[in-house]
Amino acid sequence: MYKVILVDDEEIVREGIRDKIPWGDLGFELIGTAENGQEAFQMIHSNQVDLLITDICMPFMDGLTLTENVKRIYPSLKIIILSGYDQFDYAQNAIKLGVQDYILKPVTSKEMKALLAEVKNALDEEMSGKAYMETLRRQVQKSLPLLRERFLNQLISFPVSDDEFVHNGSYLSIPLSLTHCIVLVIDLDSMEQGFEETQLLQFAILNLSVEWFRDRNEVLAFSNHQGQTVILLSCNNQNSAQELAFSVSKEIQEVIQAKLKIQVSIGISNPAFQQKDIHVSYQDALAALEYRFLLGKNQIIHIDDMEKKQGLFPQPLDLEKKLLTNIKVGSIEETYQLIDLIFAQLEKSGLNRCKLYIMELLVMINKTFYELGLEFKPLWGDSLVPMTEFHQYKTMNEIKDLLKSVCKDANLIISEKRTSSAKQQVEQAKQFILEHYRDSSISLSSICQHLHVSVSYFSLIFKKETKETFVEFLTKFRLEKAKELLRGTDYKTYEIADMAGYSDPQYFSTVFKKQVGVSPTEYRSLVQ
């Protein structure tokens, strides 16, 4: 119900309006009447009033003066002016004062009901708007932490003007002393936990940092868009800024390790002495964190310390060549040693050159695998191009371990392929002997030429597979064929020698007796 006060110096008018209007049915409650403006003004002060219905001409304080006083203190209160005068200047003054309506006496019940309905609609709309704004206000209050983080991320991403910083900083309770600050970026050293657990750990790091520094006005912690924790550290004293940054970094690093049992690394920027330069310091901190790639995990790294240590990197061409050759024909132990030597040299190079060279090395190793006919997926996993996942590795040692693992798998595949290929070539050689053993010109050289392999390689794999040399195998095979002919035919000895691949019968008899223990003629007599 909206509350109403009725003011008129004529009692009959007051009582007529009071009694003839069904206030409750129209959504109003008449809480009182007054016979002059001064009395009505006191009633408005003492009650929460939504609508004032007042006459113009009254003693002590007329309706226009009452309206002016009420509007000055209660600008949202609705006012209806009643008057027996139809002069334009009264209406004009009433409109200037912002009254809801101006109506001439005498007023009918119908006119008053219609007017009250209009007022109620206006009040309903205002109340709805007020409720909506109050809801928005509550939502904004709940969203302040999010708005604060959004502004802080803007602060570390782009230049922010002095006015914007002061205005937003005051509204979001950001210490203005942070116009002079160092930026720290805290990052997980391992991303092997999976997406959900990584998100949880990143939140835990932020929460620990916020709680740990809650009572220290010079430290402000929040999360960036990558889930890393960013700390803005006030540093009005430039001389002690770096020392303070290392102290704070060591402090929170130890807290995180103790509470969460995980390792983190922290990048530290140079100081920013104006808020518009904070985004530059933030990039410094990220760049410092990148040097974890060279230094390893669990580090606190200041950008100045690393940029002073940049050196030239002489590309290890000899080691590259040996590594790629060793992948093809060497042992896995030798491959490991070469990878260690290459990465030992990389540790002395600059960060960007180091990353670029590792990508070059990955390309060269991939090319070697391709030349060997190896499929990428069994070696690199789901990624056909390992360079696309290069950013996942936080340190150089992780990539070195990856390379060793990949080369080990490649070595096993190559060994299996060599074994399979060797067996296939030996079987081809045996088939060749079966088909051509009668040819006395058959030799180790001719069969190697047929198989398109070197004599030394073929001799090695043949002996490994058959446990005897090629000549021993060929001789044994020919003599077995000669025995079959001696047992089952009446061919002459010299004929059998020719059929077994010996052009010289005498040499055939000599070899036969040496291997079998008797001459061909004696062997035939014995078996018959």
Side-chain angles (χ1 to χ4, degrees), residues 427-443:
E427 289 302 317
Q428 289 174 345
K430 289 180 178 180
Q431 184 64 30
F432 186 84
I433 291 171
L434 176 63
E435 296 172 359
H436 301 89
Y437 72 92
R438 293 182 178 86
D439 184 356
S440 60
S441 65
I442 188 174
S443 65

Side-chain angles (χ1 to χ4, degrees), residues 162-343:
D162 293 347
D163 291 342
E164 187 178 2
F165 182 81
V166 171
H167 175 74
N168 289 308
S170 175
Y171 177 67
L172 298 171
S173 301
I174 296 171
L176 297 182
S177 60
L178 289 176
T179 50
H180 298 74
C181 72
I182 283 181
V183 183
L184 316 179
V185 178
I186 307 173
D187 191 36
L188 273 170
D189 278 336
S190 175
M191 302 292 280
E192 299 175 354
Q193 302 88 356
F195 178 78
E196 185 175 352
E197 189 175 352
T198 296
Q199 296 290 310
L200 183 62
L201 288 174
Q202 287 177 333
F203 175 78
I205 292 170
L206 173 63
N207 191 54
L208 268 177
S209 302
V210 170
E211 290 298 320
W212 189 255
F213 297 121
R214 183 176 295 280
D215 298 327
R216 294 174 63 169
N217 293 329
E218 80 277 14
V219 183
L220 179 64
F222 60 98
S223 178
N224 67 10
H225 297 312
Q226 289 74 45
Q228 299 164 319
T229 293
V230 180
I231 292 180
L232 301 183
L233 177 63
S234 179
C235 61
N236 291 321
N237 188 342
Q238 185 176 1
N239 295 328
S240 61
Q242 186 167 334
E243 183 180 346
L244 176 63
F246 270 106
S247 173
V248 169
S249 298
K250 189 66 177 175
E251 189 178 329
I252 192 61
Q253 188 184 55
E254 290 174 353
V255 170
I256 291 169
Q257 289 174 347
K259 297 285 187 180
L260 303 179
K261 311 301 181 188
I262 57 173
Q263 290 184 334
V264 297
S265 289
I266 303 175
I268 303 175
S269 75
N270 287 315
F273 292 102
Q274 297 183 61
Q275 76 277 351
K276 66 182 180 63
D277 295 329
I278 290 177
H279 74 288
V280 177
S281 290
Y282 172 67
Q283 293 302 321
D284 283 348
L286 290 177
L289 193 59
E290 286 291 310
Y291 282 94
R292 169 179 51 185
F293 190 79
L294 294 175
L295 301 176
K297 298 178 180 179
N298 199 34
Q299 300 292 327
I300 297 174
I301 311 163
H302 194 286
I303 186 63
D304 269 0
D305 293 340
M306 299 313 302
E307 290 183 342
K308 293 173 183 176
K309 297 180 180 179
Q310 295 299 292
L312 296 175
F313 172 60
Q315 190 156 331
L317 299 176
D318 291 341
L319 292 176
E320 286 172 12
K321 185 175 179 181
K322 288 180 181 178
L323 173 63
L324 300 178
T325 301
N326 207 76
I327 289 174
K328 296 178 181 179
V329 298
S331 67
I332 190 61
E333 290 76 16
E334 291 171 329
T335 300
Y336 285 172
Q337 290 173 3
L338 289 166
I339 291 174
D340 285 335
L341 288 172
I342 290 173
F343 275 75

Side-chain angles (χ1 to χ4, degrees), residues 11 25 55 84 203 224 260 263 269 353 355-356 421 447:
E11 183 178 359
D25 294 345
D55 187 17
F203 175 78
N224 67 10
L260 303 179
Q263 290 184 334
S269 75
R353 183 67 188 98
K355 288 188 172 182
L356 181 60
S421 176
I447 202 165

Side-chain angles (χ1 to χ4, degrees), residues 93-160:
N93 289 336
I95 290 170
K96 285 181 180 179
L97 291 172
V99 300
Q100 184 70 18
D101 213 328
Y102 181 94
I103 190 168
L104 294 175
K105 294 180 181 179
V107 182
T108 66
S109 176
K110 183 178 180 181
E111 288 175 328
M112 184 58 73
K113 287 178 183 178
L115 194 53
L116 289 172
E118 290 180 11
V119 173
K120 183 178 184 301
N121 287 337
L123 288 169
D124 286 345
E125 288 181 6
E126 286 187 9
M127 289 301 294
S128 176
K130 287 179 181 178
Y132 176 67
M133 291 305 295
E134 184 60 31
T135 301
L136 285 180
R137 190 174 290 108
R138 287 195 297 268
Q139 289 177 349
V140 167
Q141 288 297 319
K142 289 181 181 179
S143 302
L144 276 180
L146 179 62
L147 295 173
R148 191 170 190 245
E149 183 174 297
R150 183 183 297 172
F151 176 71
L152 289 169
N153 270 280
Q154 181 182 345
L155 186 65
I156 62 175
S157 302
F158 310 102
V160 174

Side-chain angles (χ1 to χ4, degrees), residues 36 71-72 271 335 351 377 476 509 512 516 527:
N36 61 67
K71 279 292 183 180
R72 186 176 64 253
T335 300
L351 176 64
K377 189 165 184 177
K476 184 177 178 182
S509 296
F512 190 95
V516 181
V527 296

